[in-house]
Every structure is written in structure tokens, then in C-alpha cells.
Amino acid sequence: MKRKITLKQIAKELGVSIGTVSKALKDSKEISEETKEKIQAFAKYYNYKPNNIALSLKNRKTKTIGILIPEIVHHFFSKVIQGIEKVANKKGYNVIIGLSNESFDKEVINMEMLASGSIDGFIMSISKETLLQQDYHHLNETINQGMPIVMFDRVVSDIRCDKVIINDVEAAKKAVNKLIKNNCKKIAIITTKDYVNVGRLRTQGYVEALNDHEIAPEPELILKVDDKLVTEDYIDVLEEEIKSLFLINPDIDGVFAVNELYAITTMKVAKNLGRKIPEDLQVIGFTDGVLSRHASPSLTTVTQYGQKIGEVAAALLIEKIESEASEDPVRTVVIETELIERESTK
Amino acid sequence: MKRKITLKQIAKELGVSIGTVSKALKDSKEISEETKEKIQAFAKYYNYKPNNIALSLKNRKTKTIGILIPEIVHHFFSKVIQGIEKVANKKGYNVIIGLSNESFDKEVINMEMLASGSIDGFIMSISKETLLQQDYHHLNETINQGMPIVMFDRVVSDIRCDKVIINDVEAAKKAVNKLIKNNCKKIAIITTKDYVNVGRLRTQGYVEALNDHEIAPEPELILKVDDKLVTEDYIDVLEEEIKSLFLINPDIDGVFAVNELYAITTMKVAKNLGRKIPEDLQVIGFTDGVLSRHASPSLTTVTQYGQKIGEVAAALLIEKIESEASEDPVRTVVIETELIERESTK
DNA sequence: TACTAACACGAAAACGTTTTCGCTAAGAAT
DNA sequence: ATTCTTAGCGAAAACGTTTTCGTGTTAGTA
């Protein structure tokens, strides 16, 4: 077990100075060909690789970007990570991951931990608890220390940083318009509580789409699921709520769900109640994950290109990290969404 | 935008030496109460946090562990990451992620990059290409440099490092035994090519289970899918292969698939061919992901507790990192699997 | 022969810590 | 009055780099 070799050891072994070794390995013309060859050969033989930590300290750059997300066992988030990793890697960056588990405290702790020199910038999606408490001091402090942040998905607009989002309102309208066009007369929405901004915006899109077609939105068709505590029997509760929605409003013939799980669960409940999909009931979900593709019937859904979001976020962040200007304008990039039609709609 | 404050700045501002500041913040009894209070108050006011990079350089520890996996958009792997992150975080470690995308080259590059000082140890699952080429020099080199590695899932046994695995043979036998007990007479297996060791072992378990019940394994019931190149039409190819399996062997009444996707696809194809599940055909999958739970019918599956695997791997790694002994024995921990019965079996 | 220029290399600072060692001065002990 | 402790602090090395600047040697030029 030999420790990694350092410049100092090479220098000592070859009877030259550390500086000379460093320059030789960088092919500096300050050093004679002869010496360079000797040093390079030696370094190659011992598989010398510069120590990243020392470089980071010297350059005050870590070449690492931090990702801070609520959870990782989630198709959308892992797609985003994949996208981030792809462009980060291409530009010589590593990614380090922090999970908040939807907890405010863990988000703050993780952020402070990573902000203490470990990374050059953040890409993040805010936890639900933070959204609920509306306490963003950790974000502002980080930004004030000159560390760039790019937010995606769950963003908060009055933070001064770049953002990568989709147009949730428009995307939701696309979905609901499709249901209306497909002759649905009574369209329900399964959504989240309003403090989750993406849920709120999608609900807003639902309402707007109905209004556009002069359909009066009915409050009892709007089911706002409380998912603050995702417990074991979470799915059961969800099923119960959806079931009573159908029992109270038996003539629902279209459902727009703001995520995959709500949509899949809706189909399951509806099938158990004897509904045929898409004949009796048409369902559209949000986010194109593995569930939508492989459910039966497969799910028509609004896809938000997660990988693309990650790629753009990483590109924005790296650009900001490497730009000299300390105060350039904040940008918001809107990624297109698309309605993917499958078997759950006519 | 104020840069993060350093010891040097505090020292200068307060007219003391850097060493004094450092000691004061550590509550060293070398420093007078008066001075300590002054320094601590100042540090708190300016939100001083020691620079991780400088600490890493000094201590030759990064308090970071590297995860190297083939892909991240995958329920099992993200579960493992979740487990790793959980115990790592509890012990004050961060996790940094490298994706190999099943490519040998990316695995090597990522490994070298991270091994150059960025992390204290690896947790990894080998890429398929590496498995195929059987070139493990990068692993051995890393280990020789004194950096501990813990392998999980796709391990290679003759590498000298800790491993966290499941008993694939036994797990597969559990599944096939269940099918046999449920009166299946003609049981097929959908598996991978043999170079993927987990696939090979599960196939072996299938064969052993049949032999145990004095059923002669029939080669035409063993479908080894070639997933070397996962292209766009990958699913279509998979469906075709499974379809012809059923056409050639119409009396198949049980299928054991070595992963979720194969199992779900099998159910889809079978349903299209008019089979009722579980009446005409019983299906058991491997790995309990979101698909298994929410498919219809929901899938009976062998669960390999991914989060547990991650937790154990992280515990092993951190223990090794923090142990003084340079040469302790390598350990292999076997995590229990369990057969979760759902609707796809009787 | 004396001066300059190019060449090849070394010394040292810097990045931000921690920690060991040494120094000074005040009080205690002799 | 002299020596011994001890409290309180500073200096400096070390982690592994990069880079600037300085310096000695040699060769070329006047």
C-alpha cells in the first residue's frame, strides 16, 4: 500500500526542486527538454496525479457543484441529476448530492455544510417544508457570499438567482384542453395543497382552461391532497380520498392529476369502481416516468423533460461560476413541456 | 457580496495571531476567557465557518465518500444512494456521485478523478462493460493506494475489498419454488446474458430450484436478453423476444424475471396474447420498485432491500476509513431478501 | 576581455487550517 | 533577591499545489 505520490517526493527522488517538477509536468518551456523528459517519465511511472484538494485550496475553486433536492428515489429528480451530471462531467466538474428529505432543517444544514468550501455553486429544488415556512435566509446568505445558485422545479421567484422552470400553468392547460377536446364534460383535478407552488400553478392552469371553454370550475371537483407527511399508509389515504371523490361525483369523465402517482392511483381506484379507461374515464398525468409508460393502460401525460432541465441548469451554473462579472442579471429559462398521448385518453 | 471570512481576517481585525483565533474558537484553555469571548463573538457575528478544503488538505481526510454506479434513473440504485446518504450524513460525511453509464472508460475516468484526493473511499457497482471486459486494474490500483472500496450488487469476488450482496441464487430459488408450489408446470425465466453476474446467479437459482423438484430445465424456456446496448427501441425488441418465447412455448404457465422491467413487459405481452394473470400465467419479478407496486396486476417480486444495502455499505466503508489498522480482513455482508406476494401469483 | 542575454532552475509566497513549540511576564516559592 | 511555574499568546511548520521572481551559469556579442 503506497500512498499517492506527491510533487515533493518526485523532487526529492530526482534531486530537483518542487517548482521544477511542477513546471516540467506542465511542459513549461522554462525547463530543459532533458529534465522534463526525466521528470515526466518518472511521474508517469509512478502514476502521478495532482491532488485535487490542494488544487482547490490554491485556486479557490473546487470544480464541484452541489445538488440539493428533496428526495432521490424519484424518477423526475434522478433524471435531472442525470442531466446535470452529464454536462458537469463534460466540463470537468463533479457533483455532490445533498438530500433534504423535504425537511427545512436538513436543507439548511446540508447547504451550510456544502457552502463551506466544498463546492462552487448549487443546483436545487426547495423542500416542501421550506416552502411552507417561507424561510429562505439560507439561500440569501449563500448568494451573498458570492456562491451562485440555480433553482429548478420548486423555485421561489424573489430569490436573486437563475431559475430553470416549466410553464406549469400552460402545461396544465394543455392537458385539460385535451380532455375538453376529447369531450369530457366533468373534469376533476387531483392536486396538492397550494403551498407547493408547482401544484398551485397546475391547479391554476386547470381553472383557466375550464374558464376558457366557459365551463364553471366546481370546487368539489378539485381534490387537494395533503401530502405533508408521507407515511406508510399514504397510498391508502390517497386511494380513499380519490374514491370518495368518485362516489360523490359519479359522473366525472376526465381527471387531470398533477403527478404520476396521483394519476396511476386514480386509474386504479376508477377501475375498481368499474370504470373503463379511456371509455368511461380519461386520465392525464404529469411527469413522464416509468410508471406512466408501463401502466396499463399506459398513461397520457405531460412530460417535463427532466434531463433537459438538469442540463440547462448545469450549463447556467457553470457559466456563472466561470464568468468574471460578479453581478450579471439573473435568468429564468423555461423548458418546453409536451403532451404525450397514450392509452388513457381517447 | 462579501467573501467568506477566514481566520486570518479575524486575527487581523482583532489584533491577535491566527493561532490564537483558531484556539479560541476551539475553546482551548490556552487562551484567556476574555480573549476567547471577544473572538467567539466576532466569529459568530461574521458567521465564521472553517473552510472544508483547507481542513481536508491538513487532515488528509475529505469526509466525503464517492458513489460510482452505472446509472441513477433506476429505483434500486437510487434506493441504495438514499441509504448511503442517510448513514453518511449522520456521521458527517458527504456523498459525491459518479455515473459510469455502463461504460468502462467512464468508470475508469470517474474513479481516477475522484481518487485524486476528492474522497476517502468508494462505494460502487461495476458497469456491465467492465464486467464484460473483466479489466479491473482501476479497482486494484485504487485499493493499492490505500483507498477503501465497498462493492455492492454487481461485485467481482477476487477484488480485495468489502462487499454487500444478496444471495441471488437463494433468492431466485425462493421465487421459482413459489411458482412450483403454486402448481406451475412449465416455468420460463427471462434473464440477462451470463456476463452480468447477478443475472447468471439468478439463472443458476432457477435451474437449481427446478432440479430440486426433479423438473428438467429446458433450454428453450431460458430467455437470455441481450441488453448490451440499451437503445430507443430496446423495449420493442424485448417485447418481441418475449412474444416469440410464448408463441414457441404456448403452455408456459409461470415466469420468473430477473428484474422489474422484464416482469412488467412479460405481463404486458402475455395479456396481449390473451393470457389472464394470475389464472393462466403467474409472474414473479426481482427488485421491488415503483413499477411492481403499481402495476396491474401488482407484481409478486423478490425484494432486495436497496436502502439497507446502502446503509450497510456506508457503515462498512466509514468503519474502514476511520480504522487505524491498515490491513484488516475483507468482509462480505449478505442482506436478506424476501418474496413479496402480490396479485401476479395465486 | 567585459558585458549582456538567454537559459535552467531554485526559493518562497500563497491558499486556510491546526498544532507544536517557544517566548515573555507575572506571580509563587526558596 | 533569585529561581521556578504557569498563564497567555505568537511564530512557524505542515498539508500539496502553482507561480512569480530571483540567481547563477553559459554562450554570444561588442
Side-chain angles (χ1 to χ4, degrees):
Chain A
M1 186 188 88
K2 34 181 187 181
R3 273 227 155 283
K4 294 216 72 167
I5 197 167
T6 68
L7 287 186
K8 190 194 278 196
Q9 292 169 43
I10 299 182
K12 190 172 178 185
E13 211 66 37
L14 262 40
V16 293
S17 80
I18 295 177
T20 303
V21 178
S22 176
K23 290 171 196 163
L25 293 178
K26 297 203 118 48
D27 233 355
S28 156
K29 52 180 157 289
E30 252 185 278
I31 309 297
S32 72
E33 283 305 324
E34 193 187 4
T35 313
K36 276 199 284 194
E37 276 170 30
K38 187 178 62 176
I39 293 178
Q40 287 170 1
F42 190 92
K44 179 155 195 182
Y45 179 75
Y46 283 101
N47 193 26
Y48 170 79
K49 292 264 164 37
N51 180 308
N52 284 335
I53 297 294
L55 284 179
S56 294
L57 184 60
K58 176 120 189 65
N59 302 332
R60 282 126 137 246
K61 308 219 155 173
T62 62
K63 283 275 184 180
T64 303
I65 78 190
I67 304 180
L68 202 43
I69 52 176
E71 51 170 333
I72 195 170
V73 186
H74 194 293
H75 188 270
F76 173 67
F77 284 127
S78 51
K79 266 287 178 192
V80 173
I81 295 179
Q82 188 178 35
I84 295 174
E85 208 264 352
K86 183 177 157 199
V87 347
N89 226 279
K90 199 180 302 173
K91 305 222 177 187
Y93 282 75
N94 280 107
V95 304
I96 190 166
I97 292 203
L99 267 30
S100 68
N101 262 308
E102 305 287 10
S103 139
F104 173 76
D105 288 340
K106 270 208 75 180
E107 184 173 294
V108 173
I109 291 176
N110 254 311
M111 182 151 229
E112 287 180 349
M113 188 148 179
L114 295 181
S116 306
S118 304
I119 62 167
D120 294 339
F122 278 106
I123 294 176
M124 67 180 301
S125 179
I126 313 261
S127 83
K128 281 183 191 162
E129 206 183 357
T130 308
L131 244 23
L132 193 56
Q133 298 185 203
Q134 302 194 34
D135 181 348
Y136 309 122
H137 75 277
H138 51 307
L139 299 185
N140 287 319
E141 277 175 13
T142 305
I143 292 172
N144 276 336
Q145 284 172 1
M147 175 157 308
I149 295 182
V150 175
M151 301 207 298
F152 71 94
D153 191 48
R154 308 211 201 117
V155 306
V156 0
S157 52
D158 42 337
I159 301 283
R160 219 190 121 63
C161 68
D162 290 345
K163 300 172 189 82
V164 182
I165 55 173
I166 61 168
N167 190 329
D168 284 289
V169 177
E170 281 308 314
K173 284 174 82 169
K174 259 187 228 176
V176 177
N177 283 339
K178 172 73 183 172
L179 291 175
I180 295 173
K181 185 164 141 268
N182 279 9
N183 235 344
C184 291
K185 297 303 178 197
K186 192 142 187 171
I187 303 172
I189 179 174
I190 322 285
T191 183
T192 66
K193 297 280 181 194
D194 278 345
Y195 69 89
V196 181
N197 49 4
V198 295
R200 187 183 64 243
L201 292 170
R202 290 168 198 174
T203 307
Q204 181 187 331
Y206 160 83
V207 172
E208 285 184 16
L210 292 184
N211 282 334
D212 286 354
H213 291 81
E214 287 161 4
I215 305 174
E218 303 174 45
E220 63 266 31
L221 293 182
I222 301 180
L223 175 56
K224 294 185 179 174
V225 179
D226 189 2
D227 56 353
K228 217 173 308 175
L229 42 161
V230 176
T231 56
E232 270 307 303
D233 58 350
Y234 170 57
I235 290 289
D236 297 337
V237 175
L238 181 61
E239 285 183 16
E240 275 313 309
E241 293 202 39
I242 295 175
K243 188 170 175 185
S244 54
L245 174 72
F246 276 107
L247 292 181
I248 296 172
N249 307 278
D251 46 351
I252 290 175
D253 56 0
V255 167
F256 169 52
V258 301
N259 62 46
E260 238 186 1
L261 190 58
Y262 291 180
I264 296 288
T265 308
T266 300
M267 293 206 296
K268 180 176 172 194
V269 170
K271 280 193 287 187
N272 285 343
L273 290 174
R275 305 286 204 288
K276 290 260 173 286
I277 299 173
E279 293 80 5
D280 306 336
L281 175 73
Q282 301 184 53
V283 179
I284 298 185
F286 212 109
T287 302
D288 182 34
V290 74
L291 270 180
S292 307
R293 267 191 289 265
H294 296 288
S296 56
S298 58
L299 185 66
T300 294
T301 193
V302 177
T303 177
Q304 43 173 344
Y305 298 102
Q307 175 156 359
K308 182 78 181 292
I309 291 178
E311 290 172 13
V312 171
L316 285 180
L317 183 64
I318 292 177
E319 193 194 320
K320 188 136 291 185
I321 288 173
E322 296 182 347
S323 97
E324 302 302 325
S326 62
E327 279 299 333
D328 19 32
V330 306
R331 299 159 291 183
T332 296
V333 178
V334 179
I335 304 294
E336 281 307 303
T337 58
E338 198 179 333
L339 188 68
I340 300 188
E341 299 188 32
R342 297 209 182 90
E343 300 165 358
S344 67
T345 50
K346 288 183 194 167
Chain B
M1 186 188 87
K2 37 185 183 180
R3 273 228 155 283
K4 293 214 72 164
I5 197 167
T6 68
L7 288 186
K8 190 194 280 197
Q9 292 169 43
I10 299 182
K12 190 172 176 185
E13 210 66 38
L14 261 41
V16 294
S17 80
I18 295 177
T20 303
V21 178
S22 177
K23 290 171 197 163
L25 293 179
K26 297 203 118 48
D27 233 354
S28 156
K29 52 180 156 280
E30 251 184 281
I31 309 297
S32 73
E33 283 305 324
E34 194 188 3
T35 313
K36 277 201 282 194
E37 276 171 32
K38 186 178 64 174
I39 293 179
Q40 287 170 1
F42 190 91
K44 179 153 196 188
Y45 179 74
Y46 283 102
N47 194 25
Y48 170 79
K49 292 262 165 37
N51 181 308
N52 285 335
I53 296 293
L55 284 179
S56 296
L57 184 59
K58 177 122 191 64
N59 302 332
R60 281 124 138 250
K61 307 219 156 174
T62 61
K63 282 278 188 178
T64 303
I65 79 190
I67 304 180
L68 203 42
I69 52 175
E71 51 170 333
I72 194 170
V73 186
H74 194 294
H75 188 270
F76 173 67
F77 284 126
S78 51
K79 266 288 178 192
V80 174
I81 295 179
Q82 188 178 35
I84 295 174
E85 207 264 351
K86 183 177 158 197
V87 346
N89 226 280
K90 199 179 301 173
K91 305 221 179 188
Y93 282 74
N94 278 96
V95 305
I96 191 165
I97 291 202
L99 267 29
S100 68
N101 261 308
E102 305 286 11
S103 141
F104 174 77
D105 289 339
K106 270 207 74 180
E107 184 173 294
V108 173
I109 291 177
N110 255 310
M111 182 150 230
E112 288 180 348
M113 188 147 180
L114 295 181
S116 306
S118 304
I119 62 167
D120 294 338
F122 277 106
I123 294 176
M124 67 179 302
S125 179
I126 313 260
S127 84
K128 281 184 190 161
E129 206 183 355
T130 308
L131 246 22
L132 192 57
Q133 298 185 203
Q134 303 193 32
D135 180 349
Y136 308 122
H137 76 277
H138 52 306
L139 299 186
N140 287 320
E141 278 175 12
T142 304
I143 292 173
N144 276 336
Q145 284 172 0
M147 175 157 308
I149 295 182
V150 175
M151 300 208 298
F152 71 94
D153 191 47
R154 310 213 201 115
V155 307
V156 359
S157 52
D158 43 337
I159 302 283
R160 216 189 123 64
C161 69
D162 290 346
K163 301 173 188 78
V164 182
I165 55 173
I166 61 169
N167 191 328
D168 285 288
V169 177
E170 282 308 315
K173 284 174 83 168
K174 259 186 228 177
V176 177
N177 283 340
K178 171 73 182 172
L179 290 175
I180 294 173
K181 183 162 142 269
N182 279 8
N183 237 343
C184 291
K185 297 303 175 197
K186 193 140 186 172
I187 302 173
I189 179 173
I190 322 284
T191 182
T192 66
K193 296 280 182 195
D194 278 346
Y195 68 90
V196 181
N197 50 4
V198 296
R200 186 183 64 245
L201 292 171
R202 291 167 198 174
T203 307
Q204 181 187 332
Y206 161 82
V207 172
E208 286 184 17
L210 293 184
N211 282 334
D212 286 352
H213 292 80
E214 287 164 4
I215 306 174
E218 303 175 45
E220 63 267 30
L221 293 183
I222 302 180
L223 175 57
K224 294 186 179 173
V225 179
D226 188 1
D227 55 354
K228 216 173 311 172
L229 43 160
V230 176
T231 55
E232 269 308 303
D233 57 351
Y234 170 57
I235 289 290
D236 297 337
V237 174
L238 181 62
E239 285 184 16
E240 275 312 310
E241 295 202 39
I242 295 175
K243 188 171 175 184
S244 54
L245 174 72
F246 276 106
L247 293 181
I248 296 172
N249 307 279
D251 47 352
I252 290 175
D253 56 0
V255 168
F256 169 52
V258 302
N259 61 46
E260 236 186 2
L261 190 57
Y262 291 180
I264 296 288
T265 308
T266 299
M267 293 207 296
K268 179 176 172 193
V269 170
K271 280 193 287 186
N272 286 342
L273 290 173
R275 306 283 204 288
K276 289 258 174 290
I277 300 171
E279 293 80 4
D280 306 336
L281 175 73
Q282 301 184 52
V283 180
I284 298 184
F286 211 109
T287 300
D288 182 35
V290 73
L291 269 180
S292 307
R293 268 191 288 264
H294 296 289
S296 56
S298 58
L299 185 66
T300 294
T301 192
V302 177
T303 176
Q304 44 174 341
Y305 298 102
Q307 175 156 359
K308 183 78 181 293
I309 291 178
E311 290 172 13
V312 172
L316 286 180
L317 183 64
I318 292 177
E319 194 194 320
K320 188 137 291 185
I321 288 173
E322 296 182 347
S323 97
E324 303 302 323
S326 62
E327 279 300 332
D328 19 32
V330 306
R331 300 159 291 182
T332 295
V333 178
V334 180
I335 304 294
E336 283 306 304
T337 57
E338 198 179 334
L339 189 68
I340 299 188
E341 298 188 34
R342 297 210 182 89
E343 300 165 359
S344 67
T345 50
K346 287 180 193 167

